[in-house]
Amino acid sequence: MGRLFGTDGIRGVANADLSTELVDRVGRAAVHVLAPDRRGRFAVGRDPRISGDLLEAALAAGICSAGADVLRLGVLPTPGVAYLTRRLGVHAGVVISASHNPVEDNGVKFFAPTGFKLPDAVEAQIEQALETASARPRPTGTDVGRITDVPDAAEQYLAYLGGLARRPPASAPGDLLRSWRIVVDCANGATSAIAPRLWERLGATVIPIHATPDGTNINAGCGSTHPEVIQEAVRVHRGDIGFAHDGDGDRVIASDHTGRLVDGDAIMGIVALDRAARGQLPGNLLVATVMTNLGLEVALRSAGIRLERARVGDRYVLERMLETGARLGGEQSGHVIFLDDATTGDGLVTALQLVNVMLASGRRLADLAAPFHRYPQVLVNIRVVTPERWEDDPEILAAVAQAERRLDGRGRVLVRASGTEPLVRVMTECDDAGVARAVADDLAALVGRRLDGTVIGSAAGGERRPSERSSPERSSTGG
């Protein structure tokens, strides 16, 4: 069996490669590893996609057949499951979701009792236990597990979120955002019943869009992967701010009142500047990834804030945060980790912290985002049989070094092998868009020639699917 767990749990096409039989076995294997000597308790939540019902049933059956109990949370954002995993004192939390992926996909992700994702070593133990899950003796009679619903799971999560709003002394919760108009794109996902209620409780007038999940419309032309939707909606509804979530609610991007996009980079920058000014940014340090735009790094540097780059993936951002003592980190995609408040990326926590800065400063989002000028970014993909070979090719390595000299402190180059597709990705940034394009095209053409590959496409921005596993990369930052 190949490795099942990627950087964000197990992903696949539901009822095909991610079958009910596999999920049942994963449940039994997880009990064996995480609660081997006692009656385990597992909190299980999911997003509203149509396959969630059958996979939740299979997972719960597997857990119960191994003698552990299931606390069924229902449809709940992934970070809500992480929060309740800690609050309920269970042996693990499990989310059935494929985040921003299309409806046919689904996944299984585990949280440790601390609310953090399981370490790689523990996931490997679960995979090993899968091999013997079917042959392991099963409890009978009173030793089988039971399923219990947690009807107030969403309410517990909402109460936690509401407590993060920075309110003036003696103010009522419903007065905080009394004059605000907030547009929320819920991606027809797990935040659909949560996000509008949160902002309404804080007093805002809420315009929810794509907040009517039917099991088949999750992420369909909406949410954080389609930012143009929230940008247009804010203009049409004359909103003060707009938020767009993904299907499982662990990320958010924003739009200011003019319809200008404020991505994860800018959100992190706004909060970092605010916290540094108040002496609440330990080490004046922010952790982001190699894909984070150079414009953020330049803006932060002028304020005395250091940007530390990690590999692509929130798992690696968190690892670097724990290593360095940083309390704020995240990704361009809007997956931001506020380690003082949550153990994983939480789109609603991120939105609240952004609003907190606006309230404390008395400034609109457009003003707060103004210092963060996005450097032109070009991403080119080259299809090759063995992407990792680029690291051992002296001619490619020499060309990367030459490209760095060509940028001469005005930008950076990133070349990396995709973790999920037979691709080498070439990304360049520069204050001059034409230079960024020329450098990327030259490097891509060379990689194609040297590795017998084909350039298959390019795009501005440099975003990636967060389900992609990270692989070794080489980056250079100028300036």
Side-chain angles (χ1 to χ4, degrees):
M1 178 188 297
R3 176 162 167 76
L4 287 176
F5 285 90
T7 59
D8 205 28
I10 303 170
R11 292 278 178 93
V13 177
N15 213 32
D17 47 314
L18 189 68
S19 65
T20 54
E21 292 83 2
L22 172 61
V23 172
D24 176 278
R25 290 168 54 218
V26 167
R28 280 184 276 134
V31 174
H32 175 72
V33 171
L34 302 174
D37 302 319
R38 56 210 183 280
R39 190 177 183 104
R41 296 169 72 241
F42 289 72
V44 177
R46 63 181 180 88
D47 72 26
R49 68 187 70 218
I50 191 170
S51 60
D53 288 333
L54 67 94
L55 295 182
E56 178 191 63
L59 180 68
I63 292 171
C64 290
S65 72
D69 295 328
V70 170
L71 303 182
R72 191 162 52 189
L73 306 178
V75 173
L76 197 67
T78 289
V81 177
Y83 168 73
L84 285 173
T85 296
R86 304 193 311 274
R87 181 176 175 84
L88 297 175
V90 294
H91 292 91
V94 196
V95 182
I96 299 170
S97 174
S99 189
H100 68 289
N101 285 20
V103 65
E104 61 267 23
D105 292 346
N106 217 323
V108 179
K109 178 164 60 179
F110 286 86
F111 290 106
T114 57
F116 290 104
K117 294 178 182 178
L118 289 183
D120 289 345
V122 178
E123 290 181 342
Q125 290 177 35
I126 293 174
E127 288 198 18
Q128 292 171 4
L130 279 172
E131 302 296 335
T132 57
S134 299
R136 196 170 295 116
R138 303 190 187 196
T140 59
T142 59
D143 290 332
V144 300
R146 308 186 80 165
I147 299 173
T148 304
D149 289 330
V150 183
D152 66 341
E155 185 57 40
Q156 291 187 53
Y157 179 49
L158 271 169
Y160 148 74
L161 292 169
L164 298 178
R166 195 188 302 167
R167 289 190 290 269
S171 67
D175 293 333
L176 187 64
L177 305 176
R178 181 64 66 187
S179 62
W180 288 47
R181 289 174 62 84
I182 299 180
V183 185
V184 185
D185 182 347
C186 298
N188 292 314
T191 63
S192 296
I194 300 283
R197 289 163 62 190
L198 171 65
W199 300 116
E200 287 169 357
R201 289 186 181 188
L202 296 175
T205 298
V206 181
I207 300 95
I209 62 174
H210 303 291
T212 53
D214 63 9
T216 66
N217 57 2
I218 189 170
N219 300 314
C222 56
S224 62
T225 55
H226 295 274
E228 69 281 358
V229 174
I230 192 64
Q231 292 175 270
E232 177 64 17
V234 169
R235 288 191 290 262
V236 168
H237 295 285
R238 301 189 305 278
D240 294 291
I241 192 170
F243 294 113
H245 297 278
D246 63 337
D248 76 331
D250 64 359
R251 67 177 63 187
V252 71
I253 59 170
S255 169
D256 68 21
H257 72 286
T258 70
R260 176 191 173 191
L261 180 68
V262 181
D263 66 8
D265 283 351
I267 291 172
M268 288 189 291
I270 290 167
V271 177
L273 289 179
D274 173 74
R275 294 194 170 193
R278 292 187 288 113
Q280 296 181 2
L281 189 70
N284 272 8
L285 176 64
L286 172 70
V287 176
T289 77
V290 293
M291 296 302 291
T292 285
N293 195 270
L294 183 58
L296 174 64
E297 184 171 355
V298 171
L300 293 180
R301 186 187 303 141
S302 65
I305 299 171
R306 181 165 59 92
L307 180 71
E308 180 94 11
R309 292 182 184 268
R311 295 170 63 186
V312 173
D314 64 284
R315 172 186 294 265
Y316 303 109
V317 171
L318 178 59
E319 285 179 359
R320 194 66 185 136
M321 290 173 69
L322 295 174
E323 290 169 358
T324 61
R327 308 303 290 176
L328 176 63
E331 298 186 277
Q332 192 179 73
S333 61
H335 195 142
V336 182
I337 302 172
F338 291 85
L339 208 48
D340 290 331
D341 302 319
T343 55
T344 188
D346 188 323
L348 288 168
V349 169
T350 301
L352 278 165
Q353 294 297 356
L354 185 58
V355 167
N356 280 341
V357 176
M358 295 172 66
L359 288 169
S361 66
R363 300 168 65 191
R364 304 193 82 164
L365 181 57
D367 296 330
L368 293 170
F372 303 102
H373 301 289
R374 184 178 177 85
Y375 277 44
Q377 189 179 81
V378 177
L379 174 66
V380 184
N381 296 317
I382 309 97
R383 186 173 297 281
V384 300
V385 175
T386 311
E388 295 79 10
R389 285 175 50 209
W390 82 267
E391 297 179 281
D392 301 317
D393 188 293
E395 192 167 334
I396 294 176
L397 294 176
V400 171
Q402 182 180 1
E404 292 166 354
R405 290 192 295 272
R406 181 177 177 183
L407 292 177
D408 191 27
R410 300 167 57 196
R412 66 190 184 102
V413 177
L414 172 68
V415 180
R416 67 188 184 93
S418 168
T420 57
E421 299 177 88
L423 300 175
V424 173
R425 304 191 191 278
V426 174
M427 189 274 288
T428 60
E429 285 177 334
C430 185
D431 55 5
D432 185 313
V435 173
R437 166 60 64 187
V439 171
D441 287 345
D442 288 350
L443 272 177
L446 176 63
V447 171
R449 290 195 303 271
R450 296 291 296 171
L451 303 184
D452 297 321
T454 304
V455 177
I456 62 170
S458 63
E463 289 290 327
R464 73 165 189 112
R465 287 172 61 133
S467 57
E468 179 180 296
R469 298 182 192 175
S470 297
S471 47
E473 62 254 330
R474 184 183 302 265
S475 68
S476 171
T477 303

